[in-house]
Structures are given as C-alpha cells and as structure tokens.
Amino acid sequence: MKLWVNGALHDAETAQVSVLDHGLTVGDGIFETVKAERGETFALTLHLERLTRSARGLGLPDPDLDEVRRACAAVLEANPMELGRLRITYTGGLSPLGSERGDAGPSLVVALGGTSRRPDSTAVITVPWTRNERGALTGLKTTSYAENVVALARARERGASEALFGNTVGQLCEGTGSNVFVVLDGRVHTPPVSSGCLAGITRALAVEWTGAVETDLPLEVLESAEEIFLTSTLRDVQAVHRVDGRELAGAPGPVTAKAMRVFDERAAQDRDPRLG
C-alpha cells in the first residue's frame, strides 16, 4: 500500500507525519472521503469544493486542488482495487503543543483503503447526545471526530451500523457519517443544513435527483415515518429497516427503492456530477 504524504508517494510502513502535527495534537484538520471504483472517483469535484469550504471555515490556507488531484491519481494508480475509500486529509501542519497554529504550513495526506458494497438496508439507533447547530465547526468536515467514534461504538454494541443525532432544539439532524431522509405521506424530507448537519455530497445529489424537501423535523419523526433512508459517500442511498426498537417491515420501501434506483442510474451516467 502506498500513500501520498506532503508531495510524494510513500510505502505505508514508512509514510510519516510529525507527531507535532496540529491534526494529531488538537484535531486541527479537515478531510474528505471519496468513493473509487476500479480507479475511478465519484463526485471528486464536489468533494474538493467542500474541502476548500472546510479549510476556509477552519482558517486554513486554501488547499492546492491541482496537487490534491495529482495525489489522488497517484494513489489510485499505485493501489488498484475494485472498490475503495479514498481519504484526503489536510491539517494545520507542524505546530506548537497547544491551540495556536504554527507557520510551517499545512500537511496533505491521501490514502486508499478497500471496502465492500453496503447491504440494501441497515439498522440505526438514536443517541442522547446532541449536535450543536451553532458551533464553530458546524457544517465543516473536520478531523475532530471523537464524538462520532463514541456514538458509533454505541450503535455497534446494539447491532446497528449508524447512530442518529438530534440538535440542541430537539430536531432531527444527522448520523455520525451520514445524512438522514424520511418519507412522510409519500414525500421525501431531509433536515436542512441549518439543523447543524453536514452538507453531504450524496445528500445534495439525492435532494436534486429525487426532489426531496428540506424540512425542520422533530427527532420523534423517526417513530412514525413511513420509510427512512441514509445517504453517504459509501452508502449511496441505503434503506433503514430498524430504528431503535422500531421495525420498518419491507425495507427498502417503494419510495426508498426508487431513490436508490435513480441515484444508481444518475451516478453511472456522470462520474463527476455538478449541482444546480
């Protein structure tokens, strides 16, 4: 396995980032995960646009997107695989042991790991912790992921693959690494970005391609929604067959099944789609 670290490919065993890198010491970094099938990325341009937005939100210099693209291409060529998770990590770089950022410049790491296609449906749980829709990092895809680690561990303990959060005012928000959609009276709804959720790339494409409506939803909507599904880079559109103790018989339901089909068809037609 070969990784890209700060300008060149390295063997995984010898690839190094300083132990004083701000991404390690204080979580001062951002990242993107891109699906790669047989060496071909999906929606890379949209992911790189969000990488830049996250960098600006965190106060990091804009990433050199030409270099990021070169790094992605090099890693994909060096590590051929059927289905992979391409991870782009961009951090504050070498810095003092505190919150103050150093002046050495950012670090860029690109790595690729193998994965498998997700099942058509999954189980989820809700967790008692909240997303802060008014936080400094809200809407940014940062490496400060410990909250998600804790919530996902609880989901795994309960036989689920994802944990769903409400926000501080009791609205449905998002999963640890996914966006959530519900079907009400045959219509697809998803929480707006103002709820505190990440503006997911797959979420945005699913909204555009299925006609879903952005709606403020109470967390309790999960107890009555006709259908529920998740979206993310590696899930695409995935039905939910159980939320907490509630079973959704027949998942994926007809609306979700159509969304899955439409997403697959549109994604196959354009591997680097745009929005709007």
Side-chain angles (χ1 to χ4, degrees):
M1 183 67 65
K2 291 186 178 293
L3 290 70
W4 181 280
V5 181
N6 292 333
L9 283 174
H10 300 269
D11 291 332
E13 295 78 12
T14 59
Q16 295 182 3
V17 173
S18 172
V19 295
L20 299 178
D21 190 281
H22 227 211
L24 174 64
T25 56
V26 297
D28 177 25
I30 57 175
F31 76 99
E32 288 290 326
T33 298
V34 183
K35 183 169 66 172
E37 297 179 276
R38 295 176 295 279
E40 184 180 21
T41 57
F42 177 67
L44 180 59
T45 297
L46 292 176
H47 280 284
L48 295 185
E49 289 174 353
R50 188 173 63 184
L51 187 75
T52 298
R53 292 196 300 272
S54 293
R56 291 175 179 174
L58 210 57
L60 291 168
D62 282 5
D64 181 339
L65 298 187
D66 289 336
E67 180 187 3
V68 177
R69 286 183 180 274
R70 288 195 301 272
C72 291
V75 169
L76 288 167
E77 182 178 5
N79 304 286
M81 62 183 64
E82 185 70 16
L83 181 62
R85 176 200 307 256
L86 185 67
R87 162 86 179 218
I88 304 163
T89 306
Y90 185 71
T91 77
L94 188 65
S95 299
L97 287 173
S99 296
E100 181 182 0
R101 191 175 288 149
D103 57 9
S107 297
L108 174 66
V109 177
V110 179
L112 182 69
T115 188
S116 56
R117 177 174 167 80
R118 52 90 179 118
D120 284 344
S121 71
T122 192
V124 304
I125 66 166
T126 56
V127 290
W129 310 295
T130 58
R131 288 293 202 223
N132 181 3
E133 69 278 6
R134 300 173 62 187
L137 302 184
T138 300
L140 308 181
K141 196 169 180 68
T142 76
T143 57
S144 300
Y145 241 51
E147 186 175 72
N148 293 326
V149 171
V150 172
L152 188 57
R154 174 171 288 202
R156 298 291 189 187
E157 290 169 359
R158 288 160 173 75
S161 75
E162 183 59 301
L164 301 181
F165 292 89
N167 62 16
T168 65
V169 292
Q171 296 170 334
L172 180 63
C173 188
E174 64 178 350
T176 68
S178 67
N179 292 106
V180 58
F181 290 69
V182 299
V183 178
L184 305 171
D185 296 324
R187 189 74 186 272
V188 182
H189 300 260
T190 193
V193 173
S194 59
S195 70
C197 69
L198 182 72
I201 302 302
T202 308
R203 171 193 179 275
L205 293 171
V207 167
E208 187 167 296
W209 293 348
T210 69
V213 180
E214 293 184 317
T215 310
D216 287 321
L217 301 162
L219 187 61
E220 292 77 20
V221 74
L222 298 173
E223 300 171 6
S224 58
E226 297 147 27
E227 301 176 34
I228 304 170
F229 63 84
L230 307 176
T231 62
S232 75
T233 291
L234 296 178
R235 294 177 190 268
D236 294 330
V237 176
Q238 184 183 34
V240 171
H241 62 251
R242 176 169 57 84
V243 54
D244 293 327
R246 182 190 175 208
E247 298 286 342
L248 287 89
V255 177
T256 302
K258 181 179 180 181
M260 294 168 71
R261 183 174 66 253
V262 168
F263 190 91
D264 287 347
E265 291 172 353
R266 293 291 296 267
Q269 292 168 6
D270 188 354
R271 301 302 296 172
D272 199 25
R274 304 298 194 275
L275 295 169

